Amino acid sequence: MDAIERALANFQSTYDTEPTVVARAPGRVNLIGEHTDYNDGFVLPMALPFNTVIAARPADTNTVTVASEGFGSVEFAIGDDPAGTTQWARYVHAVAAMLSAEGHVAQPRAWEGVITTDIPPGASLSSSAALEVAAGLVYTSLSEVSLSAGQLARVGQRVENEVMGLPSGILDQLASAGSQTGKATLIDCRSLDLRTIDFPAGATIVVLDTGTRRELVESEYADRQATCAQAASMLGLGALRDATPADVDRLASLDGATQRHVDRARHVVNEDARTLEAVEAMESGDLPRLGELMVQSHESLRDLYEVSGPALDAIVEAALQSPHCIGARMTGGGFAGGAIALVADDGDNSVNDFCQGLMGRYQAPPEQPATAPTKLYPCQPSAGAGYVKRP
Ligand code: GLA
């Protein structure tokens, strides 16, 4: 049973009736454009065929009662501070708070329901963003308001920034809320304009979950975000989106700038350019160029931005040894979790061959032990968030 079927079954067995609303939000991978979103730059994600699902019915009180498969049941009052709510349910609670803070609804309607997910947690596939987006869809439908993908994503981003304390950008939430089947989406993280890009024929994305999981990397993420903001301000710019390669060269001589500022800024400026070039490569069906850009992105994240890790580097290297592999890179925040490979898909056996070869070749590096099994998932770009059922 997939997450939708399990949510329906769990709701039925808990409440002995059918849910009023069933909302679904997918995980994502980012094809290229990493650590550019909080610099007002460009990203190019696609949604995965793995969803987080919430099945719910309105409550008569202000209390939300929600059970997450494998994690038990939690209750919270909508008007209370989400900081007091236990970890996974804090996301669901905080979405209600941020819907109010954004002025979309004075007090969202409370509900009771169940959550299921097919998104492997901690694998850099944005399981928390999917939970935020699915919760946003449930609250808004029961409160009779309708939000754009950008508005929904902004609510989720504010949950991360203001409640979870992570100064992240809008990539994960907007990829989950705004993606389309068969397409990647170029997101301008300043204007939030979305441009759908046909995924080129003849290739498949394979998610490479190393089984390593992030620990205590929030401070590293915040450090990168702060360094970029400092670099932009030293250059007299609002964001590194506006910096040129010449600006990066001149950064070195500015007051207070360190080699780190220069390296981080160089990554961001080049990565934005690579992302726009990747769109051209996809549109002209130039898979080899797309693959090269992905590899350059990985190297820059590893060497200049320093957010890769031993397991991510090792799996990318092992993937690139396959004759079927066109490109590979880490995806998402980095340090651990998942990478992606662009694999030639001859409609016959090339993707299988790639997966089998990689499973045989990849060795988890001893300095970064995995806590979950290594898994490979061939994926086509899938649908963004939506309703399976709505009032
Ligand atoms: C995490 C964050 C995103 C983005 C990526 C890196 O996934 O949540 O906002 O910054 O890292 O591109």
Side-chain angles (χ1 to χ4, degrees):
M1 287 205 289
D2 69 11
I4 296 174
E5 294 162 331
R6 298 200 309 282
L8 292 171
N10 294 356
F11 190 92
Q12 180 74 38
S13 68
T14 311
Y15 297 104
D16 201 20
T17 180
E18 291 198 351
T20 313
V21 56
V22 181
R24 170 193 69 67
R28 65 97 190 92
V29 289
N30 192 19
L31 298 178
I32 196 163
E34 217 68 85
H35 287 276
T36 47
D37 60 349
Y38 51 83
N39 291 299
D40 277 4
F42 299 97
V43 295
L44 187 62
M46 64 175 226
L48 297 175
F50 306 133
N51 287 289
T52 290
V53 180
I54 304 181
R57 67 176 180 189
D60 298 328
T61 64
N62 273 338
T63 299
V64 172
T65 306
V66 58
S68 181
E69 204 175 31
F71 292 95
S73 178
V74 173
E75 281 188 11
F76 57 83
I78 292 255
D80 285 356
D81 184 350
T85 300
T86 187
Q87 199 63 29
W88 64 267
R90 189 177 306 158
Y91 289 98
V92 181
H93 192 168
V95 169
M98 291 304 139
L99 281 166
S100 304
E102 281 285 286
H104 295 308
V105 44
Q107 170 142 320
R109 182 85 193 258
W111 45 271
E112 46 194 12
V114 299
I115 302 177
T116 57
T117 189
D118 287 336
I119 307 172
S124 324
L125 306 179
S126 295
S127 55
S128 49
L131 178 56
E132 292 152 8
V133 171
L137 287 174
V138 168
Y139 286 116
T140 51
S141 69
L142 295 177
S143 309
E144 291 172 34
V145 292
S146 166
L147 302 188
S148 68
Q151 289 172 320
L152 206 53
R154 176 76 186 129
V155 166
Q157 185 194 9
R158 285 189 67 176
V159 167
E160 298 290 346
N161 296 170
E162 292 169 41
V163 181
M164 310 312 285
L166 192 73
S168 51
I170 203 157
L171 160 64
D172 306 344
Q173 292 81 6
L174 197 44
S176 182
S179 287
Q180 288 184 29
T181 308
K183 321 266 183 188
T185 304
L186 175 69
I187 303 176
D188 178 332
C189 296
R190 174 170 278 165
S191 65
L192 300 193
D193 280 347
L194 307 183
R195 190 169 130 209
T196 53
I197 314 291
D198 284 327
F199 194 78
T204 290
I205 289 292
V206 181
V207 174
L208 321 174
D209 179 6
T210 61
T212 56
R213 296 294 179 253
R214 291 181 278 187
E215 271 172 51
L216 304 174
V217 294
E218 276 81 1
S219 58
E220 293 287 339
Y221 189 97
D223 164 83
R224 299 305 183 278
Q225 188 270 339
T227 305
C228 288
Q230 288 158 9
S233 129
M234 288 167 192
L235 288 165
L237 301 170
L240 285 179
R241 150 76 173 266
D242 302 311
T244 62
D247 287 330
V248 178
D249 291 339
R250 127 182 121 76
L251 185 57
S253 62
L254 298 182
D255 250 11
T258 64
Q259 189 59 38
R260 284 197 175 173
H261 290 101
V262 176
D263 289 348
R264 309 303 193 226
R266 195 174 304 283
H267 165 75
V268 172
V269 169
N270 293 346
E271 185 77 354
D272 273 335
R274 276 191 288 268
T275 305
L276 296 177
E277 207 194 325
V279 169
E280 283 171 28
M282 281 175 80
E283 286 179 327
S284 61
D286 189 346
L287 289 169
R289 183 64 188 146
L290 180 58
E292 271 167 23
L293 292 163
M294 289 171 70
V295 171
Q296 287 173 12
S297 167
H298 183 80
E299 289 169 353
S300 174
L301 289 157
R302 182 190 64 200
D303 301 337
L304 295 179
Y305 218 69
E306 297 181 286
V307 292
S308 190
L312 292 171
D313 289 342
I315 209 160
V316 163
E317 208 172 291
L320 289 171
Q321 282 166 23
S322 164
H324 305 298
C325 187
I326 309 167
R329 57 183 293 278
M330 55 158 275
T331 193
F335 299 102
I340 52 171
L342 179 70
V343 178
D345 188 348
D346 61 8
D348 190 15
N349 220 14
S350 59
V351 175
N352 254 343
D353 255 21
F354 167 82
C355 292
Q356 275 177 13
L358 180 57
M359 283 307 259
R361 212 165 36 243
Y362 171 68
Q363 291 279 353
E367 66 270 36
Q368 192 183 19
T371 53
T374 305
K375 284 199 178 150
L376 310 182
Y377 306 95
C379 293
Q380 289 297 325
S382 301
Y387 293 99
V388 178
K389 181 181 182 191
R390 61 190 304 181

